[in-house]
Amino acid sequence: MKLWRSRQCRAALLPTLAGVIAVAGTMAEAQADPLADLPLILDVSTPHDGPCNGPLHGTTAVYFPPGVPAHAEVEWRILGGGQPIRSGITVVQNDVMTVGFDIRRDELPPDGLLRVDARARVPGGDIGDYGKPWNFRVSRECRPLHVVSVGDSVLWGQSLEKNRTFADLFAETLGTRTGRGAKLHDYTASGATLDSPSLHPNCPNSDDTTLDVFCQLEQAAADATANGYRIDLVLLDGCLNDLDPFFGIPVGVTPGTQDLAAAVRRECGGVGAESVNPAADVPYFSGAKLGYGGRGIREAMQAAHDLPGAPKVLVGDYFHGYDAGRVPQGLTQRWSEFVRLSSEAFRQAATDANAAAGEVFAAAADGLFTQDAMPTGDRRPAMNPLGDEAVSLRQLACAQPGALPQCLTVPVAAQADLDGARKYVEAFLMNGRIAEWFGGGEPTGEGFTASRTTTHQGTPIAFDAAKAGSAIRQYDWYFGDGSHETTTDSSTSHAYNDRGPNLPRLVVTDMTGHQSLFELDRPITVG
């Protein structure tokens, strides 16, 4: 199970240093024995320019349960290389106390790995144990991040404004957050497939402008080598036009998608589709005459990691389209099934790739939490962050499936939604791997549990978020099937009707307004 935290602030941040110490017992027990509940480090933050330009300045917010004796104290420390670098003792005067610290650049360990923990103490009395350490990494690198985007332009290459794409906004936000700045190298193309080797035998020197993902990666490698830069992060989308979810999945004209689960395994797994594409002549399909095939998403992740600099890899997927009131129910269900199946395929591929490599270099941000998982009150269904598109332009243009061959016009795309795109970027940056790789990394740990991961239709599953810590004022549950519930209690239950895979997530908001996102380590399926 993964723990992720998102900090919203006006200033750009370098690594957000944060820590969580599990709180045992109830508040009633805390009043009887306050040292039974250890302090909870809610947040530690640093200005983004510290490691590059001088000492690392920062502040930490520490929560201590109510009911403590007079003159109780919190003792905190920051360690590097196993040795204390900074420590302090703060008298408990409020539920939340903020203390400052600074660390000279020469005191930072070579690997940048630090950790923070704390304990409770009563002068002349008991001293508690240090709680679970929160490990984090401070980047001492000051060169700009190099970000590569590959795949179909429907996600990374969507135009926001003049000469600016969603991938530009992502790189810009990541660069600002880390204090390093970022340079985007975009190779996405409309209609790009995961892999179609028969179409591009000579990539990256092919005359075809719509190169597949592997050809795009070869071009990215050639450019990085020629220009002498290392790539830090690859933004990848895959299996998009291979299955053509915008048109072929809902209507069912993509080869072999009658069994959608098998189709996702086949295309993403690299077995390949039929040799001839029966939808090749249908308007607004991706247009390939041949079936797609070749290597799968795991191979694409590894190929991306093999680029100069051994970059990290983030695989993106789409929004959940479950709320689309103007879309026929059958199409909505089929779209929803595709999103969940492909998302799970990407997550599993990342898990397998990381295990094979012996390091964590790949992560899947599957689109099941984006605007929906950011409790903003705006839950408009969308297939991308740039407009209220509950279904693809092709579906809007061709409302009657029987009339598709005669449908020859495409409506004008909705006005680009820059604010929505920013929310989408923030959702991607909530991914815990991004924080670990580029600053603000937090420890992994259990935030909530499910009573079981296999169930029968309509049978409730119990969820318990006691392990998410204390000082939490709101729990937002996203059950992975399109359902959302907000509670002030740390437990709830949910009954599933869709077979899944349904991957539950929990966003907790603490008393300072900071949000943490937890993810169950496996999806829930209905047998």
Side-chain angles (χ1 to χ4, degrees):
M1 197 172 298
K2 307 177 185 71
L3 165 63
W4 304 337
R5 166 158 297 181
S6 173
R7 174 177 171 86
Q8 305 293 331
C9 61
R10 295 183 180 179
L13 300 178
L14 190 95
T16 299
L17 318 180
V20 161
I21 299 175
V23 177
T26 64
M27 285 297 182
E29 293 170 337
Q31 293 177 355
D33 183 6
L35 296 188
D37 281 355
L38 294 171
L40 179 71
I41 297 179
L42 293 176
D43 183 68
V44 185
S45 62
T46 63
H48 69 270
D49 58 348
C52 292
N53 301 325
L56 180 70
H57 302 285
T59 59
T60 180
V62 185
Y63 167 77
F64 200 79
V68 301
H71 308 296
E73 299 171 329
V74 167
E75 181 179 0
W76 57 270
R77 62 182 182 177
I78 299 176
L79 300 95
Q83 300 299 318
I85 297 177
R86 288 293 180 273
S87 63
I89 298 175
T90 302
V91 176
V92 178
Q93 297 176 330
N94 301 293
D95 289 349
V96 178
M97 297 147 287
T98 301
V99 296
F101 64 86
D102 65 89
I103 302 174
R104 298 193 312 271
R105 182 171 180 175
D106 63 290
E107 293 178 300
L108 295 173
D111 58 7
L113 290 174
L114 300 170
R115 77 172 190 256
V116 60
D117 55 18
R119 64 182 180 182
R121 53 188 293 158
V122 177
D126 295 329
I127 298 178
D129 295 327
Y130 282 104
K132 180 181 178 181
W134 187 306
N135 300 303
F136 57 92
R137 184 187 299 274
V138 176
S139 173
R140 305 180 70 180
E141 182 71 71
C142 296
R143 66 177 182 83
L145 292 164
H146 286 271
V147 179
V148 162
S149 54
V150 298
D152 189 90
S153 60
V154 70
L155 181 59
W156 307 119
Q158 287 282 355
S159 178
L160 293 172
E161 54 191 16
K162 184 178 180 181
N163 298 324
R164 194 174 184 215
T165 67
F166 178 73
D168 287 307
L169 182 61
F170 183 102
E172 173 187 301
T173 306
L174 178 62
T176 299
R177 180 168 295 191
T178 61
R180 295 174 56 180
K183 168 69 175 177
L184 177 71
H185 309 271
D186 181 29
Y187 299 91
T188 63
S190 178
T193 62
L194 177 62
D195 189 30
S196 52
S198 61
L199 298 180
H200 308 296
N202 300 312
C203 73
N205 298 315
S206 172
D207 293 333
D208 190 338
T209 58
T210 307
L211 296 177
D212 64 34
V213 166
F214 287 87
C215 291
Q216 293 172 7
L217 290 171
E218 288 189 32
Q219 186 63 60
D223 291 346
T225 300
N227 293 283
Y229 58 82
R230 294 179 295 157
I231 301 170
D232 299 280
L233 176 66
V234 175
L235 305 176
L236 166 67
D237 59 49
C239 303
L240 302 180
N241 285 308
D242 302 65
L243 288 170
D244 195 17
F246 293 124
F247 178 80
I249 290 299
V251 181
V253 297
T254 300
T257 59
Q258 287 76 16
D259 184 345
L260 195 53
V264 170
R265 287 193 300 269
R266 181 185 67 243
E267 301 296 339
C268 294
V271 177
E274 299 175 10
S275 59
V276 177
N277 185 350
D281 297 321
V282 177
Y284 312 121
F285 190 68
S286 52
K289 302 298 182 182
L290 302 178
Y292 305 121
R295 295 160 288 183
I297 193 67
R298 175 177 165 182
E299 290 82 357
M301 292 177 180
Q302 185 58 60
H305 188 52
D306 289 339
L307 295 178
K312 309 301 184 184
V313 183
L314 182 70
V315 179
D317 200 8
Y318 288 96
F319 280 76
H320 206 291
Y322 53 83
D323 281 337
R326 57 185 171 178
V327 181
Q329 183 64 24
L331 303 189
T332 301
Q333 290 175 344
R334 214 166 145 73
W335 166 256
S336 177
E337 184 181 7
F338 165 75
V339 170
R340 282 181 281 161
L341 287 168
S342 60
S343 297
E344 175 59 18
F346 295 164
R347 188 190 70 84
Q348 189 60 53
T351 299
D352 294 344
N354 291 334
E359 61 174 315
V360 177
F361 72 86
D366 59 23
L368 294 178
F369 65 99
T370 47
Q371 289 180 352
D372 254 336
M374 305 289 285
T376 61
D378 180 7
R379 303 186 67 235
R380 294 178 301 165
M383 292 177 73
N384 65 57
L386 311 178
D388 188 8
E389 299 174 74
V391 74
S392 69
L393 296 180
R394 294 170 186 139
Q395 283 295 326
L396 294 176
C398 308
Q400 301 299 320
L404 286 173
Q406 290 75 42
C407 182
L408 301 176
T409 60
V410 175
V412 176
Q415 183 70 28
D417 181 1
L418 189 58
D419 289 338
R422 288 195 179 98
K423 294 176 184 177
Y424 200 29
V425 166
E426 291 295 332
F428 270 110
L429 292 177
M430 281 185 73
N431 188 296
R433 297 305 182 192
I434 295 291
E436 292 173 11
W437 294 334
F438 303 110
E442 302 182 6
T444 58
E446 291 186 337
F448 72 105
T449 59
S451 56
R452 57 186 175 278
T453 56
T454 58
T455 187
H456 298 290
Q457 188 177 40
T459 301
I461 291 179
F463 295 93
D464 187 343
K467 294 184 177 181
S470 66
I472 296 173
R473 70 167 183 243
Q474 179 171 301
Y475 300 81
D476 281 277
W477 304 87
Y478 297 89
F479 298 106
D481 62 351
S483 300
H484 166 246
E485 179 184 5
T486 299
T487 69
T488 56
D489 191 78
S490 62
S491 62
T492 189
S493 64
H494 182 71
Y496 289 88
N497 293 312
D498 295 317
R499 63 182 181 179
N502 306 291
L503 187 64
R505 290 186 173 88
L506 170 65
V507 177
V508 297
T509 305
D510 66 28
M511 61 189 301
T512 69
H514 298 156
Q515 292 182 324
S516 300
L517 187 142
F518 299 84
E519 179 182 273
L520 206 62
D521 58 1
R522 66 181 62 185
I524 292 173
T525 56
V526 177

